[in-house]
Amino acid sequence: WFLDPFASTIEIVIFCLVVLLIPTTLIGIGFPLASELTIEKLPTLGRRIGRLYAFNTLGGTLGSLATGFILLPLLGSQAGLTVVVVLNLLMFVLLVMSQPSLRIDRKLRRLGLEGVVVFGVGVWYLGPHYLADAQTKFEGGRVLAFQETRDATFVVMGYESEQDASYQQILVNGRSYANNAPPGRRYMATLAHLPALLHPAPRSVLIACVGTGTTVGALTLHPEIQSIKAVDLAQTVFDVAPLFEPLNHGFQRTPKVEKVVANARNYLLRNKE
């Protein structure tokens, strides 16, 4: 869908509807239902509603943190989303079963059954790798690496062409971050060689934004440079660096290269060097 803007819009809308419809519907049903169960006595109405809102806000905050920092890195987006939907369905079942007045409500039982059926059909129809496949749907290349992390979604693609031979590209959240095709590898290497050759006595270097590592690798070829700090926001950039060899000269294994996972601006502000 990255080649046709019109198709992209339609597919993304359908994609969001399929993925988000069930959990958002359950969340929308859950809070009013919890409010109705909470309001039993008018004299304590304010305190009960306030407590419910507090728990709801706390749950929303902790849920967002848990999803971004635990579920996505450990399980990936599809498995993580499946876990969230299952938890919502279990909570619905437990809530209904724990209240005698709700157990006899046929409408609620029908809604619960419909939710389970829709969820089961969705899981069966989409398959276990639907979201991963959707995020690696690029034309003309093969997927070399795919990682969903707490920072972003990373994809490394490999390409073969008569004009550029073989080269690789790293994409972050579906957008091109860098590639080592001939035009890119030339200017990336120049960014290293030019200042190193013009400086009268280069000793230490800092590179902000590693990308394919071509610039960092070019710096390792200068023996007078004793220390290179390669700074990038994401650890994944260093993890996939071997896929861009030999053009990056295996910089990640070079002793004089220090790999730093940080925001380069903040790192510079903290560093006196």
Side-chain angles (χ1 to χ4, degrees):
W1 67 52
F2 296 92
L3 301 179
D4 186 343
F6 183 71
S8 172
T9 303
I10 294 176
E11 290 202 28
I12 289 175
V13 169
I14 296 173
F15 177 76
C16 292
L17 284 175
V18 170
V19 171
L20 299 176
L21 183 61
I22 296 175
T24 51
T25 301
L26 290 171
I27 290 170
I29 294 172
F31 190 77
L33 186 59
S35 300
E36 185 176 344
L37 294 172
T38 302
I39 303 170
E40 295 176 352
K41 298 180 181 179
L42 287 178
T44 59
L45 174 61
R47 185 171 67 251
R48 287 174 176 270
I49 288 293
R51 188 181 298 123
L52 179 63
Y53 266 99
F55 280 125
N56 186 63
T57 302
L58 180 63
T61 304
L62 294 178
S64 299
L65 292 173
T67 300
F69 289 98
I70 298 175
L71 289 181
L72 273 176
L74 291 180
L75 303 177
S77 56
Q78 183 157 341
L81 182 63
T82 301
V83 168
V84 171
V85 175
V86 169
L87 289 175
N88 274 277
L89 287 171
L90 289 175
M91 186 170 62
F92 174 82
V93 172
L94 291 174
L95 189 61
V96 171
M97 296 302 295
S98 64
Q99 303 295 320
S101 60
L102 298 179
R103 286 200 299 267
I104 61 175
D105 192 329
R106 293 184 177 180
K107 184 178 180 181
L108 277 179
R109 285 187 290 181
R110 188 183 74 249
L111 287 173
L113 181 61
E114 289 174 356
V116 172
V117 170
V118 171
F119 172 66
V121 171
V123 170
W124 169 78
Y125 179 75
L126 296 177
H129 306 295
Y130 175 75
L131 291 184
D133 293 339
Q135 295 177 87
T136 55
K137 189 178 179 182
F138 299 97
E139 296 290 338
R142 67 187 189 282
V143 179
L144 303 179
F146 173 77
Q147 289 189 30
E148 291 179 307
T149 73
R150 60 187 178 185
D151 301 308
T153 298
F154 294 85
V155 181
V156 178
M157 300 292 296
Y159 299 93
E160 300 282 346
S161 70
E162 294 182 1
Q163 180 179 359
D164 299 327
S166 71
Y167 66 95
Q168 297 79 39
Q169 177 187 34
I170 183 169
L171 302 104
V172 181
N173 292 335
R175 301 295 178 182
S176 180
Y177 182 28
N179 69 73
N180 57 8
R185 70 183 68 158
R186 285 194 289 268
Y187 87 77
M188 290 174 185
T190 303
L191 287 174
H193 294 310
L194 190 61
L197 294 171
L198 291 176
H199 196 287
R203 290 292 180 267
S204 65
V205 182
L206 182 141
I207 294 290
C209 186
V210 172
T212 65
T214 304
T215 304
V216 184
L219 284 169
T220 64
L221 302 179
H222 293 264
E224 67 275 20
I225 296 177
Q226 301 170 357
S227 171
I228 302 172
K229 297 185 187 297
V231 186
D232 200 282
L233 279 170
Q235 173 63 41
T236 308
V237 170
F238 300 109
D239 296 338
V240 301
L243 296 174
F244 296 93
E245 295 181 15
L247 292 173
N248 63 10
H249 302 286
F251 76 90
Q252 71 280 1
R253 296 189 299 274
T254 305
K256 64 181 178 180
V257 175
E258 179 184 352
K259 300 182 289 293
V260 180
V261 179
N263 175 286
R265 179 178 180 275
N266 292 338
Y267 181 79
L268 285 168
L269 290 173
R270 298 197 314 267
N271 198 310
K272 296 180 180 180
E273 188 177 352

